[in-house]
Amino acid sequence: MVRSLRRADADEWRDVRARNHDWLRPWDATVPPGAAPRPSSYKIVTRSLLHQARRGQCLPFVIEVDGAFAGQVTVSNVARGSAQWGSIGYWVSAEVAGRGVAPRAVAMVIDHCLGPVGLHRLEVCVRPENTSSLRVVEKLGLEQVGYAPRFLHIDGAWRDHRIFAVTAEEAPEGVLARLPTHQSHQ
């Protein structure tokens, strides 16, 4: 299940992040030297995400598996006007990795954004070495549209990213329908 992030998710979020620290560290954004420090608590991160959500700048979602917090999908940098696009970031716990959870959750969020939210284009930026995330965009049928050298500061250095995107015209039936084990009632 994918649902909106809530302040009440704090304990589960902290627990999952702590158990998965080593699993997520190579892919987590870090603060470059000289930049403002990264928010240090779930409360601060959530307050910021929910504030941005109220302003229409992001959509933060929780991934649940069997009723338990298992990861997150966030649509950030939402631009309206003539752009109508957003950027998707996601993570899942090691316990559910490899079970199709990330592709299904990302597909559900893409379909929601290209449908009711009214965005026209979504992009996913993936480090070339992140074979798990590359597999997600492959399963979703997203096309590579670019390459961004030294795009984001991750795990202590500026890292290159491959850029994948999908538009509403490219997925008229939705992205979830592209998954081989699609079940419409999840």
PDB file of all heavy atoms in Angstrom, residues 1 8 20 32 41-42 45 80 87 98 108 110 121 128 136 143-144 152 154-155 159 167 173 180 182-183:
ATOM      1  N   MET A   1       0.846  -1.175   0.000  1.00  0.00           N
ATOM      2  CA  MET A   1       0.000   0.000   0.000  1.00  0.00           C
ATOM      3  C   MET A   1       0.896   1.244   0.000  1.00  0.00           C
ATOM      4  O   MET A   1       1.978   1.239   0.597  1.00  0.00           O
ATOM      5  CB  MET A   1      -0.892  -0.009   1.244  1.00  0.00           C
ATOM      6  CG  MET A   1      -1.770   1.215   1.347  1.00  0.00           C
ATOM      7  SD  MET A   1      -2.970   1.094   2.673  1.00  0.00           S
ATOM      8  CE  MET A   1      -2.070   1.904   3.961  1.00  0.00           C
ATOM      9  N   ALA A   8       2.725  10.880  12.631  1.00  0.00           N
ATOM     10  CA  ALA A   8       2.642   9.712  13.513  1.00  0.00           C
ATOM     11  C   ALA A   8       3.519   8.542  13.044  1.00  0.00           C
ATOM     12  O   ALA A   8       3.661   7.555  13.764  1.00  0.00           O
ATOM     13  CB  ALA A   8       1.189   9.254  13.623  1.00  0.00           C
ATOM     14  N   ASN A  20      18.230  -0.224   8.617  1.00  0.00           N
ATOM     15  CA  ASN A  20      18.696  -0.243   7.230  1.00  0.00           C
ATOM     16  C   ASN A  20      19.792   0.777   6.941  1.00  0.00           C
ATOM     17  O   ASN A  20      20.043   1.092   5.778  1.00  0.00           O
ATOM     18  CB  ASN A  20      17.499  -0.006   6.301  1.00  0.00           C
ATOM     19  CG  ASN A  20      16.588  -1.191   6.255  1.00  0.00           C
ATOM     20  OD1 ASN A  20      16.807  -2.109   5.477  1.00  0.00           O
ATOM     21  ND2 ASN A  20      15.565  -1.201   7.100  1.00  0.00           N
ATOM     22  N   PRO A  32      26.867  18.684   1.045  1.00  0.00           N
ATOM     23  CA  PRO A  32      28.219  19.028   0.590  1.00  0.00           C
ATOM     24  C   PRO A  32      28.880  20.019   1.548  1.00  0.00           C
ATOM     25  O   PRO A  32      28.192  20.751   2.262  1.00  0.00           O
ATOM     26  CB  PRO A  32      27.989  19.652  -0.783  1.00  0.00           C
ATOM     27  CG  PRO A  32      26.568  20.057  -0.816  1.00  0.00           C
ATOM     28  CD  PRO A  32      25.834  19.189   0.171  1.00  0.00           C
ATOM     29  N   SER A  41      16.189  15.471  12.439  1.00  0.00           N
ATOM     30  CA  SER A  41      15.188  14.614  13.072  1.00  0.00           C
ATOM     31  C   SER A  41      14.022  14.357  12.125  1.00  0.00           C
ATOM     32  O   SER A  41      13.767  15.132  11.202  1.00  0.00           O
ATOM     33  CB  SER A  41      14.667  15.261  14.352  1.00  0.00           C
ATOM     34  OG  SER A  41      13.807  16.354  14.045  1.00  0.00           O
ATOM     35  N   TYR A  42      13.315  13.270  12.409  1.00  0.00           N
ATOM     36  CA  TYR A  42      12.131  12.946  11.627  1.00  0.00           C
ATOM     37  C   TYR A  42      11.122  14.093  11.705  1.00  0.00           C
ATOM     38  O   TYR A  42      10.506  14.459  10.709  1.00  0.00           O
ATOM     39  CB  TYR A  42      11.489  11.650  12.135  1.00  0.00           C
ATOM     40  CG  TYR A  42      10.206  11.315  11.405  1.00  0.00           C
ATOM     41  CD1 TYR A  42      10.251  10.683  10.178  1.00  0.00           C
ATOM     42  CD2 TYR A  42       8.965  11.662  11.928  1.00  0.00           C
ATOM     43  CE1 TYR A  42       9.091  10.391   9.487  1.00  0.00           C
ATOM     44  CE2 TYR A  42       7.799  11.376  11.242  1.00  0.00           C
ATOM     45  CZ  TYR A  42       7.871  10.739  10.030  1.00  0.00           C
ATOM     46  OH  TYR A  42       6.720  10.473   9.344  1.00  0.00           O
ATOM     47  N   VAL A  45      12.199  16.841   9.325  1.00  0.00           N
ATOM     48  CA  VAL A  45      12.048  16.395   7.934  1.00  0.00           C
ATOM     49  C   VAL A  45      10.569  16.363   7.555  1.00  0.00           C
ATOM     50  O   VAL A  45      10.163  16.876   6.507  1.00  0.00           O
ATOM     51  CB  VAL A  45      12.692  15.002   7.730  1.00  0.00           C
ATOM     52  CG1 VAL A  45      12.323  14.425   6.373  1.00  0.00           C
ATOM     53  CG2 VAL A  45      14.195  15.088   7.876  1.00  0.00           C
ATOM     54  N   ARG A  80       4.574  23.610 -11.578  1.00  0.00           N
ATOM     55  CA  ARG A  80       3.291  23.765 -12.273  1.00  0.00           C
ATOM     56  C   ARG A  80       3.499  24.710 -13.455  1.00  0.00           C
ATOM     57  O   ARG A  80       4.571  24.754 -14.032  1.00  0.00           O
ATOM     58  CB  ARG A  80       2.228  24.264 -11.291  1.00  0.00           C
ATOM     59  CG  ARG A  80       1.860  23.243 -10.225  1.00  0.00           C
ATOM     60  CD  ARG A  80       1.276  22.023 -10.847  1.00  0.00           C
ATOM     61  NE  ARG A  80       0.749  21.088  -9.872  1.00  0.00           N
ATOM     62  CZ  ARG A  80      -0.053  20.109 -10.161  1.00  0.00           C
ATOM     63  NH1 ARG A  80      -0.431  19.897 -11.403  1.00  0.00           N
ATOM     64  NH2 ARG A  80      -0.478  19.292  -9.236  1.00  0.00           N
ATOM     65  N   SER A  87       9.940  15.203  -9.708  1.00  0.00           N
ATOM     66  CA  SER A  87      11.041  14.252  -9.638  1.00  0.00           C
ATOM     67  C   SER A  87      10.764  13.253  -8.517  1.00  0.00           C
ATOM     68  O   SER A  87      10.412  13.649  -7.408  1.00  0.00           O
ATOM     69  CB  SER A  87      12.345  15.010  -9.368  1.00  0.00           C
ATOM     70  OG  SER A  87      13.432  14.125  -9.305  1.00  0.00           O
ATOM     71  N   GLY A  98      13.729  -6.656  -3.586  1.00  0.00           N
ATOM     72  CA  GLY A  98      13.716  -7.815  -4.468  1.00  0.00           C
ATOM     73  C   GLY A  98      12.367  -8.510  -4.560  1.00  0.00           C
ATOM     74  O   GLY A  98      12.248  -9.527  -5.245  1.00  0.00           O
ATOM     75  N   MET A 108       2.520   3.137  -8.713  1.00  0.00           N
ATOM     76  CA  MET A 108       1.283   3.687  -8.152  1.00  0.00           C
ATOM     77  C   MET A 108       1.376   5.202  -7.995  1.00  0.00           C
ATOM     78  O   MET A 108       0.428   5.932  -8.304  1.00  0.00           O
ATOM     79  CB  MET A 108       0.981   3.016  -6.806  1.00  0.00           C
ATOM     80  CG  MET A 108       0.608   1.553  -6.955  1.00  0.00           C
ATOM     81  SD  MET A 108       0.641   0.631  -5.395  1.00  0.00           S
ATOM     82  CE  MET A 108      -0.739   1.337  -4.535  1.00  0.00           C
ATOM     83  N   ILE A 110       3.431   7.251  -9.707  1.00  0.00           N
ATOM     84  CA  ILE A 110       3.448   7.844 -11.054  1.00  0.00           C
ATOM     85  C   ILE A 110       2.030   7.947 -11.603  1.00  0.00           C
ATOM     86  O   ILE A 110       1.624   8.997 -12.113  1.00  0.00           O
ATOM     87  CB  ILE A 110       4.354   7.039 -12.010  1.00  0.00           C
ATOM     88  CG1 ILE A 110       5.828   7.240 -11.648  1.00  0.00           C
ATOM     89  CG2 ILE A 110       4.103   7.438 -13.471  1.00  0.00           C
ATOM     90  CD1 ILE A 110       6.790   6.343 -12.430  1.00  0.00           C
ATOM     91  N   ARG A 121       4.747  15.124 -16.644  1.00  0.00           N
ATOM     92  CA  ARG A 121       6.011  14.391 -16.771  1.00  0.00           C
ATOM     93  C   ARG A 121       6.590  14.132 -15.393  1.00  0.00           C
ATOM     94  O   ARG A 121       6.537  14.984 -14.520  1.00  0.00           O
ATOM     95  CB  ARG A 121       6.997  15.227 -17.582  1.00  0.00           C
ATOM     96  CG  ARG A 121       8.354  14.602 -17.803  1.00  0.00           C
ATOM     97  CD  ARG A 121       9.238  15.569 -18.628  1.00  0.00           C
ATOM     98  NE  ARG A 121      10.526  15.008 -18.931  1.00  0.00           N
ATOM     99  CZ  ARG A 121      11.590  15.070 -18.135  1.00  0.00           C
ATOM    100  NH1 ARG A 121      11.506  15.674 -16.978  1.00  0.00           N
ATOM    101  NH2 ARG A 121      12.727  14.539 -18.511  1.00  0.00           N
ATOM    102  N   PRO A 128      24.412   5.398 -11.691  1.00  0.00           N
ATOM    103  CA  PRO A 128      24.716   4.285 -12.600  1.00  0.00           C
ATOM    104  C   PRO A 128      25.077   2.989 -11.887  1.00  0.00           C
ATOM    105  O   PRO A 128      24.848   1.908 -12.417  1.00  0.00           O
ATOM    106  CB  PRO A 128      25.901   4.804 -13.425  1.00  0.00           C
ATOM    107  CG  PRO A 128      25.837   6.281 -13.329  1.00  0.00           C
ATOM    108  CD  PRO A 128      25.232   6.584 -11.981  1.00  0.00           C
ATOM    109  N   VAL A 136      14.333  -1.132 -11.160  1.00  0.00           N
ATOM    110  CA  VAL A 136      12.997  -0.541 -10.956  1.00  0.00           C
ATOM    111  C   VAL A 136      12.557   0.210 -12.208  1.00  0.00           C
ATOM    112  O   VAL A 136      11.465  -0.032 -12.733  1.00  0.00           O
ATOM    113  CB  VAL A 136      12.971   0.388  -9.721  1.00  0.00           C
ATOM    114  CG1 VAL A 136      11.666   1.187  -9.666  1.00  0.00           C
ATOM    115  CG2 VAL A 136      13.159  -0.418  -8.441  1.00  0.00           C
ATOM    116  N   GLU A 143      12.117   5.410 -20.010  1.00  0.00           N
ATOM    117  CA  GLU A 143      13.204   5.624 -20.963  1.00  0.00           C
ATOM    118  C   GLU A 143      14.251   6.559 -20.377  1.00  0.00           C
ATOM    119  O   GLU A 143      13.919   7.544 -19.718  1.00  0.00           O
ATOM    120  CB  GLU A 143      12.661   6.258 -22.250  1.00  0.00           C
ATOM    121  CG  GLU A 143      11.699   5.374 -23.012  1.00  0.00           C
ATOM    122  CD  GLU A 143      12.378   4.149 -23.599  1.00  0.00           C
ATOM    123  OE1 GLU A 143      13.543   4.261 -24.038  1.00  0.00           O
ATOM    124  OE2 GLU A 143      11.748   3.079 -23.595  1.00  0.00           O
ATOM    125  N   GLN A 144      15.526   6.253 -20.647  1.00  0.00           N
ATOM    126  CA  GLN A 144      16.579   7.180 -20.246  1.00  0.00           C
ATOM    127  C   GLN A 144      16.526   8.381 -21.173  1.00  0.00           C
ATOM    128  O   GLN A 144      16.526   8.243 -22.395  1.00  0.00           O
ATOM    129  CB  GLN A 144      17.956   6.527 -20.304  1.00  0.00           C
ATOM    130  CG  GLN A 144      19.040   7.476 -19.803  1.00  0.00           C
ATOM    131  CD  GLN A 144      20.390   6.815 -19.618  1.00  0.00           C
ATOM    132  OE1 GLN A 144      20.494   5.619 -19.416  1.00  0.00           O
ATOM    133  NE2 GLN A 144      21.440   7.628 -19.670  1.00  0.00           N
ATOM    134  N   LEU A 152      24.051  14.969  -7.816  1.00  0.00           N
ATOM    135  CA  LEU A 152      23.650  15.105  -6.411  1.00  0.00           C
ATOM    136  C   LEU A 152      24.792  14.687  -5.498  1.00  0.00           C
ATOM    137  O   LEU A 152      25.582  13.811  -5.839  1.00  0.00           O
ATOM    138  CB  LEU A 152      22.440  14.212  -6.097  1.00  0.00           C
ATOM    139  CG  LEU A 152      21.109  14.608  -6.694  1.00  0.00           C
ATOM    140  CD1 LEU A 152      20.069  13.532  -6.406  1.00  0.00           C
ATOM    141  CD2 LEU A 152      20.642  15.946  -6.154  1.00  0.00           C
ATOM    142  N   ILE A 154      25.869  12.597  -2.716  1.00  0.00           N
ATOM    143  CA  ILE A 154      25.384  11.355  -2.108  1.00  0.00           C
ATOM    144  C   ILE A 154      26.577  10.614  -1.519  1.00  0.00           C
ATOM    145  O   ILE A 154      27.624  10.507  -2.167  1.00  0.00           O
ATOM    146  CB  ILE A 154      24.646  10.485  -3.144  1.00  0.00           C
ATOM    147  CG1 ILE A 154      23.372  11.198  -3.585  1.00  0.00           C
ATOM    148  CG2 ILE A 154      24.344   9.096  -2.588  1.00  0.00           C
ATOM    149  CD1 ILE A 154      22.534  10.449  -4.556  1.00  0.00           C
ATOM    150  N   ASP A 155      26.377  10.122  -0.313  1.00  0.00           N
ATOM    151  CA  ASP A 155      27.410   9.327   0.356  1.00  0.00           C
ATOM    152  C   ASP A 155      28.767  10.044   0.326  1.00  0.00           C
ATOM    153  O   ASP A 155      29.800   9.446   0.076  1.00  0.00           O
ATOM    154  CB  ASP A 155      27.501   7.934  -0.284  1.00  0.00           C
ATOM    155  CG  ASP A 155      28.311   6.952   0.555  1.00  0.00           C
ATOM    156  OD1 ASP A 155      28.425   7.150   1.776  1.00  0.00           O
ATOM    157  OD2 ASP A 155      28.847   5.989  -0.035  1.00  0.00           O
ATOM    158  N   ARG A 159      27.773  12.863  -7.226  1.00  0.00           N
ATOM    159  CA  ARG A 159      27.605  11.612  -7.968  1.00  0.00           C
ATOM    160  C   ARG A 159      26.844  11.837  -9.273  1.00  0.00           C
ATOM    161  O   ARG A 159      25.872  12.599  -9.334  1.00  0.00           O
ATOM    162  CB  ARG A 159      26.823  10.598  -7.133  1.00  0.00           C
ATOM    163  CG  ARG A 159      27.362  10.358  -5.752  1.00  0.00           C
ATOM    164  CD  ARG A 159      28.683   9.637  -5.753  1.00  0.00           C
ATOM    165  NE  ARG A 159      29.106   9.406  -4.369  1.00  0.00           N
ATOM    166  CZ  ARG A 159      30.113   8.683  -4.017  1.00  0.00           C
ATOM    167  NH1 ARG A 159      30.847   8.070  -4.922  1.00  0.00           N
ATOM    168  NH2 ARG A 159      30.431   8.523  -2.761  1.00  0.00           N
ATOM    169  N   THR A 167       6.018  10.503 -19.607  1.00  0.00           N
ATOM    170  CA  THR A 167       4.986  11.530 -19.741  1.00  0.00           C
ATOM    171  C   THR A 167       3.621  10.848 -19.780  1.00  0.00           C
ATOM    172  O   THR A 167       3.518   9.635 -20.011  1.00  0.00           O
ATOM    173  CB  THR A 167       5.162  12.360 -21.032  1.00  0.00           C
ATOM    174  OG1 THR A 167       4.994  11.500 -22.152  1.00  0.00           O
ATOM    175  CG2 THR A 167       6.521  13.044 -21.072  1.00  0.00           C
ATOM    176  N   GLU A 173      -2.343   4.041 -20.272  1.00  0.00           N
ATOM    177  CA  GLU A 173      -2.999   3.043 -19.421  1.00  0.00           C
ATOM    178  C   GLU A 173      -2.400   3.022 -18.015  1.00  0.00           C
ATOM    179  O   GLU A 173      -2.792   2.207 -17.184  1.00  0.00           O
ATOM    180  CB  GLU A 173      -2.881   1.648 -20.051  1.00  0.00           C
ATOM    181  CG  GLU A 173      -3.449   1.549 -21.449  1.00  0.00           C
ATOM    182  CD  GLU A 173      -4.933   1.886 -21.491  1.00  0.00           C
ATOM    183  OE1 GLU A 173      -5.666   1.439 -20.585  1.00  0.00           O
ATOM    184  OE2 GLU A 173      -5.350   2.603 -22.422  1.00  0.00           O
ATOM    185  N   PRO A 180       4.267  -7.057 -14.828  1.00  0.00           N
ATOM    186  CA  PRO A 180       3.709  -8.364 -15.204  1.00  0.00           C
ATOM    187  C   PRO A 180       2.765  -8.945 -14.174  1.00  0.00           C
ATOM    188  O   PRO A 180       1.860  -9.674 -14.522  1.00  0.00           O
ATOM    189  CB  PRO A 180       4.954  -9.248 -15.377  1.00  0.00           C
ATOM    190  CG  PRO A 180       6.063  -8.534 -14.712  1.00  0.00           C
ATOM    191  CD  PRO A 180       5.716  -7.074 -14.711  1.00  0.00           C
ATOM    192  N   HIS A 182       0.636  -7.260 -12.260  1.00  0.00           N
ATOM    193  CA  HIS A 182      -0.295  -6.193 -11.892  1.00  0.00           C
ATOM    194  C   HIS A 182      -1.578  -6.759 -11.304  1.00  0.00           C
ATOM    195  O   HIS A 182      -2.206  -7.641 -11.859  1.00  0.00           O
ATOM    196  CB  HIS A 182      -0.627  -5.335 -13.124  1.00  0.00           C
ATOM    197  CG  HIS A 182      -1.752  -4.378 -12.894  1.00  0.00           C
ATOM    198  ND1 HIS A 182      -1.674  -3.384 -11.947  1.00  0.00           N
ATOM    199  CD2 HIS A 182      -2.962  -4.286 -13.450  1.00  0.00           C
ATOM    200  CE1 HIS A 182      -2.814  -2.707 -11.951  1.00  0.00           C
ATOM    201  NE2 HIS A 182      -3.603  -3.252 -12.852  1.00  0.00           N
ATOM    202  N   GLN A 183      -1.930  -6.222 -10.144  1.00  0.00           N
ATOM    203  CA  GLN A 183      -3.214  -6.531  -9.520  1.00  0.00           C
ATOM    204  C   GLN A 183      -3.858  -5.200  -9.220  1.00  0.00           C
ATOM    205  O   GLN A 183      -3.330  -4.406  -8.450  1.00  0.00           O
ATOM    206  CB  GLN A 183      -3.032  -7.359  -8.258  1.00  0.00           C
ATOM    207  CG  GLN A 183      -2.440  -8.717  -8.529  1.00  0.00           C
ATOM    208  CD  GLN A 183      -2.128  -9.457  -7.243  1.00  0.00           C
ATOM    209  OE1 GLN A 183      -2.169  -8.916  -6.167  1.00  0.00           O
ATOM    210  NE2 GLN A 183      -1.834 -10.731  -7.387  1.00  0.00           N
TER     211      GLN A 183
END
